[in-house]
Each structure stands twice: as C-alpha cells, then as structure tokens.
Amino acid sequence: MGVQGTLEYLSDLLSSVKRKKKMKRTQTVALKIRMDCEGCVRKVKRVLSSVKGAKSVEVDLKQQKATVTGYVDPKKVLAAAKSTKKKVEIWPYVPYTLVANPYISQAYDKKAPANHVRAVPATATITETTVNDTYITMFSDENPNACSIM
C-alpha cells in the first residue's frame, strides 16, 4: 500500500469523522391558494407561519398568492397549506418576458395576474398543421416537382 496510500486512507477517514451538517439555504416558496375573505388569509398565514424554519409569510388576497421565506422545505410548506382544506398548488406563473412563446395555448391563462403567464417548458411550441406542411414541401429543394421561383 505504501506511504502515499496510507496517508490518503487516513485523510479520508478523518474527513468523514469531521463531516459538518449542511447549511440549509434560505428559500422562497410561492403558493397559489384559493382564498375568499380576510378570515381565510388569517388562517393561511397562521398555518404557514407554524412551518419549521419559516421566517416571513406574505399573503396576497387579490392575487390568491402566499409567499413563505426562510429555511423551509417546499414539500412541507405545500403539505401545511393543504392542511387548511383549500385548493393549493405551487405558484405556476412567471413574467411573460421569460417565456419564449407566451401566447401558445399551454402558457396563456385568463386567471393569471397582469403581465404573467403559466410557466411552460421551452420545448412546448406551436405545432404545424397539415396545411402549413404542404406549403413547405411545395417549395422545398428536396421536392423534384416543386415550384422554383427565380
């Protein structure tokens, strides 16, 4: 094994003993929660404030949005919000400037706040119809019977 191998083994052994706990990162979790009145807002705020690690809770009745900031786990925040017996989901909206095609059917949502659309993957695109496909092949270079406009 040699001296070098022995030193590496001892180094690995000592470093595994001194393992530190990972520091949790501060996270912001935004939820869309169906709320009707100020009583609902108080109930949601009370439940979300009781989540371990939550530093601040902001609830916006107009946008139906609750934001939790702190050293929290998003799954635990979602589970706590569901315990209120209200319809809850992770905040699905992003500013429309961050989406490649904000007006495709998957992204556009009437209920979205102003200047926001649903977050969709970049692979979601507008599909071509058969009519568009025939025009493409009509003027294609690979088609021997295609029109050639010079």
Side-chain angles (χ1 to χ4, degrees):
M1 196 158 143
V3 175
Q4 184 68 22
T6 306
L7 289 176
E8 285 180 19
Y9 173 75
L10 290 174
S11 174
D12 291 340
L13 186 64
L14 290 175
S15 66
S16 66
V17 171
K18 293 182 181 177
R19 290 231 169 118
K20 294 180 182 178
K21 278 188 173 179
K22 275 190 172 179
M23 292 291 293
K24 288 186 179 178
R25 291 181 156 187
T26 302
Q27 291 188 350
T28 302
V29 180
L31 301 171
K32 181 179 179 183
I33 302 178
R34 176 88 169 99
M35 297 176 284
D36 299 321
C37 61
E38 289 298 321
C40 296
V41 171
R42 283 192 303 273
K43 182 178 182 181
V44 167
K45 193 166 191 169
R46 180 178 46 82
V47 168
L48 293 179
S49 296
S50 68
V51 174
K52 184 178 178 184
K55 297 294 180 197
S56 68
V57 177
E58 298 171 11
V59 180
D60 186 1
L61 179 62
K62 186 175 181 182
Q63 286 190 349
Q64 306 282 311
K65 181 179 182 180
T67 308
V68 180
T69 305
Y71 302 104
V72 294
D73 181 22
K75 292 178 184 176
K76 290 183 180 179
V77 173
L78 187 62
K82 286 184 178 180
S83 71
T84 61
K85 306 284 192 237
K86 301 203 175 293
K87 185 178 177 185
V88 180
E89 64 179 307
I90 297 291
W91 186 252
Y93 303 118
V94 295
Y96 74 93
T97 56
L98 298 178
V99 178
N101 296 316
Y103 298 108
I104 60 175
S105 62
Q106 296 98 339
Y108 185 74
D109 188 1
K110 290 181 188 176
K111 297 177 183 177
N115 300 326
H116 284 75
V117 293
R118 281 198 174 270
V120 293
T123 58
T125 58
I126 303 170
T127 58
E128 294 182 16
T129 62
T130 56
V131 176
N132 292 342
D133 196 27
T134 58
Y135 288 130
I136 291 171
T137 57
M138 187 185 302
F139 295 102
S140 173
D141 290 336
E142 286 92 32
N143 186 358
N145 299 324
C147 275
S148 59
I149 302 173
M150 301 228 182

